[in-house]
Amino acid sequence: MAPLTEHRLVSGPVVYGFLRLVRVSPARQEALTASLAEFCRSHELQLSGVLSDREVNSGPASAAFTGLLDVLAIPDVYGVIAPAMSHLGPKAIAAERRRRIEATGSRLLLIRPARPKHPSVSRSGPARRRSPATTRVLDPES
């Protein structure tokens, strides 16, 4: 527990981390876990544990994800935190896992949310269309 702005010790909303760590070095695992902890600290959340999925072809009901669903059933658990949607697995599996998390009434918090697929205006300004080049033939007689 860390003091809030009012300098009173209060227990923040309880969250659990979820990491997909397939072929990841111990240093990368430590950095990802530290990023979850720092995000929780800065947003006044209480990180109660981190569950790790290490199976390559685990499907939506891996042992780690089943454990996550079990802890989400505990009263007063606010949600799940992950570095990005990719930590829930490949797209089809991630979509199913997201649906299951939301079905428990918990929130899914992503440190790095997905980018919009088709931004209406790019950051560099509107796209310019080039017109087809025209070729002028110069008449040497004129």
Side-chain angles (χ1 to χ4, degrees), residues 19 33 48 66 70 85 107 109-110 114 139:
L19 297 172
T33 303
S48 292
T66 302
D70 288 344
M85 194 67 175
R107 300 214 33 197
L109 306 167
L110 300 174
D139 184 14

Side-chain angles (χ1 to χ4, degrees), residues 18 20 22 53-66 87-90 92-94 96-97 100:
F18 191 79
R20 185 168 186 258
V22 178
D53 192 358
R54 297 178 184 279
E55 299 174 30
V56 176
N57 300 319
S58 61
S62 69
F65 190 74
T66 302
H87 278 271
L88 293 181
I93 292 172
E96 175 61 19
R97 286 180 172 179
R100 289 183 183 184

Side-chain angles (χ1 to χ4, degrees), residues 57-140:
N57 300 319
S58 61
S62 69
F65 190 74
T66 302
L68 178 67
L69 293 177
D70 288 344
V71 297
L72 292 178
I74 298 171
D76 298 327
V77 173
Y78 182 69
V80 179
I81 183 167
M85 194 67 175
S86 61
H87 278 271
L88 293 181
K91 287 184 182 182
I93 292 172
E96 175 61 19
R97 286 180 172 179
R98 178 182 211 143
R99 187 192 65 74
R100 289 183 183 184
I101 289 169
E102 291 171 351
T104 66
S106 299
R107 300 214 33 197
L108 175 61
L109 306 167
L110 300 174
I111 293 175
R112 213 179 43 228
R115 292 186 212 145
K117 290 183 181 181
H118 300 287
S120 57
V121 177
S122 70
R123 289 182 217 162
S124 62
R128 294 184 183 169
R129 293 187 179 251
R130 290 189 150 172
S131 60
T134 56
T135 306
R136 286 181 44 182
V137 179
L138 298 175
D139 184 14

Side-chain angles (χ1 to χ4, degrees), residues 24-42:
V24 172
S25 70
R28 176 81 174 141
Q29 177 181 349
E30 188 175 318
L32 287 167
T33 303
S35 72
L36 294 180
E38 176 57 25
F39 182 87
C40 289
R41 186 198 65 73
S42 66

